[in-house]
Amino acid sequence: MISRQSWLAAWLLAPLLPLLPALAQTPGSIVDGGDTQISAMMMFVGNDKKVYMLDKSEGNAAQINGHPAWGSVWDFETRTSEVIDVVTNVFCASGMHLPNGSFITLGGNAAIGPTGALGSVNNGYEGTFDATYQDYDGRKAIRVIKPCTGNVSSWDTSCQWFDNPAELAMQKNRWYSAAEPLGDGSVAIIGGFVNGGYINRNYPNTDPATEGGAAEPTYEIYPSKGTAAVMQFMVDTSGLNAYAHTFLMASGKMLVQANVSTMLWDPLTNQETRLQNMPGNFVRVYPASGATAMLPLTPQNNYSQTVIFCGGNDMPDSAWGDYSFPAINTWDYPATKDCQRLTPEPVDGSTPAYEQDDDMLDARSMGQFIALPDGTLLVVNGGRNGTAGYAQATGQTPNFSGMAYGESLCADPAFTPAIYNPNAAKGSRWSDAGLQASTIARLYHSSAILLPDASVLIAGSNPNVDVNTSTIFPTTYKAEIFYPPYFGSTRPVPTGVPTTLTYGGSYFNVTIPASSYSGSANDAAANTTVWVMRQGFTTHAMNMGQRAMALNSTYTVNQDGSFVLHVSQPPPNPNLLQPGPVFIHVTVKGIPSNGTYAIVGSGDFGTQPTQGVQALPNPVRLDSASGSAGSNQSSSGSGSTSSTSHTGAIIGGIVGAVVVIGAIGAIIGICMKSRKRNDAQTARNVGGYGGGAPGMMRERDSDATMMPLQDSNWAASSADLRAPSPYKDYGGRATPSGEFDPYTHQPMGRPGY
């Protein structure tokens, strides 16, 4: 029997229980992140307490205001979520931060109802409203939210989504558009589908500009800088240009990559400079969905901007099919391990050229890069075979009964994360040593994002037209948290971290106490970096706007073992790190602190003030000084996002609590069911496409638990996908005889994206 004293200790500990798991996290582990209530197709970190999540309009069990929810807010400390209302259909929108810390989402789908059917109020092809799901047409929507803290149920209208296209809207309907912030805080919005499906074209492709009205080859800027204009690059990359990869460069030009093409583009003049095509003709944009990121910007590389592209697919052009579906069984076609680097604006003035990088450890479609505050990049999620998207037929499989993985066009999930070190020698940049494999397939509509405590939240996966929790790759509501290897050591607890940053100007001082590190103070100070991290807006294996910047610094070591970092502001060029919200981490010998929320720039749209860079003082060393931390002290984790956490001291002051924790642990150990790994099955692999004959697929390691083929226990979607589209070019490749076309059903109210 547990004593009254122990029960009292348990009562005292109750408010701290959400924090306790973080104190014992194993480096490289993946742990339960709670229920998201919606399938998190999109996420962004709103502040140091909340992650905002968005889903397409679908039949989620969670309800709000009398209809299924497709928005939620996840809390760091409790790992629970609360639903929040969204009015329009946000399906496959883009999104971005604003200079003041607010966020916008851009575009989406028209109104749909249950099973992806056309909204009940419609013109025969496009829904404006659905009476059951109560969603409105979201194709022109600009939704704005100011992130708040506290319980969502207590928020007033100032904390809710502003979602009214009658008052705030884009000039064009956009679905799968790209978004990239400019140096003045405005946002370039590029391309997308008007209506469509698997890829953004008919086949043969006789109208690459508009595809009969289904493609949108223009760009516009929010706040508006003029009328939407055609971007020739979007015409030339017709078909494979959804969610184009975009990165603002130091010059103010933008790197844009789509299909196998690359260019530098001036968003103010619409001038294009074509660059080298992607080597190997690998497609990295949706639905090939390669992992892409800008490498960390550091004083050591002179803030030179290099972008890495990994994974995706090299299917022949005809294999991609058209709006209807792929021409081949994509799940039989392997993704690639290939990685390429590109520096679009070399400082030596040389011609930009792709550079072959180390292959990933796993081939991946829908893999996603997450920049970490130690200068490395994590890749998670995705599958080894196939592409993003979903369908109920292909050019080789005319009947849904033959679809091997339900509506999914991808197979063989990549369960094991990997870490890429851009500064390691070639041939040794990738590692998954000590990283735990997930047990959840994260395929189409998965997402991942860096949390303020430097762990990574992973959520979503839903390659289904509507909610389906019993198919092979189901609608997924379970989140996970990945703890990178640096969680095995003492976390720094700096003071003096600012909450605003300027472009140039006076340096600031940050103090690191001796308790934050062990060993020589000189060594610790010389190996401390202040990282400015922007997590971005994540969807479809992308983190739009993601950047990692290390600030220049020197130090002064004090006799008590503490040291003071003298830290420069970001460089006086807003194009390197656009204005808006960031988290500042102080990383000592590769171990980051919890992040401090800050705003870079003026907090408003417009030309950002810049100043000259103040010179830093010379380093001051002291050989006798040293740190006092243990060499392997438990880290503070996701339950403590402040950079001045006192969780350890609080817990240590509650005598007798350990007894109760042990008892609770024993009870939990008895009650919890162990997760079972799926038995590995013989997989299939094909060396090409055509004929549809199955071959043998690779298996890399013990976590490559290949999912079984479809069986009679699955619950397939019941959507009627046969309605015609006014945008379909029926002179092209025919839909298989006697079967429907899943991507030409009701242009804005059907599956696929």
Side-chain angles (χ1 to χ4, degrees), residues 651-711:
I651 293 173
I654 303 177
V655 180
V658 174
V659 175
V660 178
I661 295 169
I664 294 171
I667 295 169
I668 292 173
I670 294 170
C671 295
M672 287 185 64
K673 294 180 179 180
S674 61
R675 281 183 165 176
K676 295 183 178 181
R677 299 285 305 277
N678 291 326
D679 293 330
Q681 294 197 357
T682 302
R684 303 177 303 153
N685 186 19
V686 293
Y689 77 101
M696 295 299 295
M697 187 157 38
R698 328 177 285 301
E699 218 176 72
R700 184 176 74 83
D701 54 30
S702 59
D703 71 86
T705 52
M706 185 62 184
M707 296 293 185
L709 295 177
Q710 181 173 203
D711 64 34

Side-chain angles (χ1 to χ4, degrees), residues 417-606:
I419 291 177
Y420 172 83
N421 184 348
N423 297 316
K426 273 193 173 183
S428 59
R429 289 175 175 164
W430 286 99
S431 175
D432 62 1
L435 305 187
Q436 179 183 338
S438 175
T439 58
I440 301 176
R442 301 287 185 183
L443 299 176
Y444 190 40
H445 292 154
S446 297
S447 56
I449 201 159
L450 181 73
L451 294 177
D453 72 340
S455 64
V456 176
L457 180 66
I458 303 170
S461 192
N462 186 20
N464 302 288
V465 62
D466 205 336
V467 172
N468 191 336
T469 57
S470 60
T471 187
I472 186 170
F473 298 130
T475 305
T476 302
Y477 300 105
K478 182 66 67 178
E480 297 172 293
I481 301 173
F482 171 75
Y483 289 94
Y486 45 66
F487 270 83
S489 302
T490 299
R491 302 291 296 281
V493 184
T495 57
V497 179
T499 57
T500 59
L501 293 172
T502 60
Y503 294 107
S506 301
Y507 66 80
F508 57 90
N509 293 324
V510 173
T511 300
I512 312 299
S515 58
S516 288
Y517 70 95
S518 59
S520 163
N522 290 338
D523 180 56
N527 288 280
T528 295
T529 302
V530 174
W531 285 99
V532 180
M533 308 298 295
R534 174 165 290 145
Q535 298 98 325
F537 178 98
T538 175
T539 189
H540 288 73
M542 306 169 66
N543 286 68
M544 300 178 185
Q546 177 178 236
R547 300 229 169 166
M549 174 180 282
L551 302 181
N552 199 18
S553 64
T554 60
Y555 56 87
T556 297
V557 175
N558 299 319
Q559 191 169 3
D560 64 358
S562 67
F563 57 89
V564 177
L565 285 178
H566 314 295
V567 187
S568 292
Q569 300 283 347
N573 182 351
N575 297 329
L576 290 173
L577 181 67
Q578 302 96 314
V582 296
F583 282 86
I584 302 172
H585 298 259
V586 180
T587 302
V588 180
K589 296 194 291 186
I591 312 300
S593 69
N594 292 326
T596 296
Y597 180 87
I599 293 290
V600 181
S602 68
D604 203 354
F605 295 109

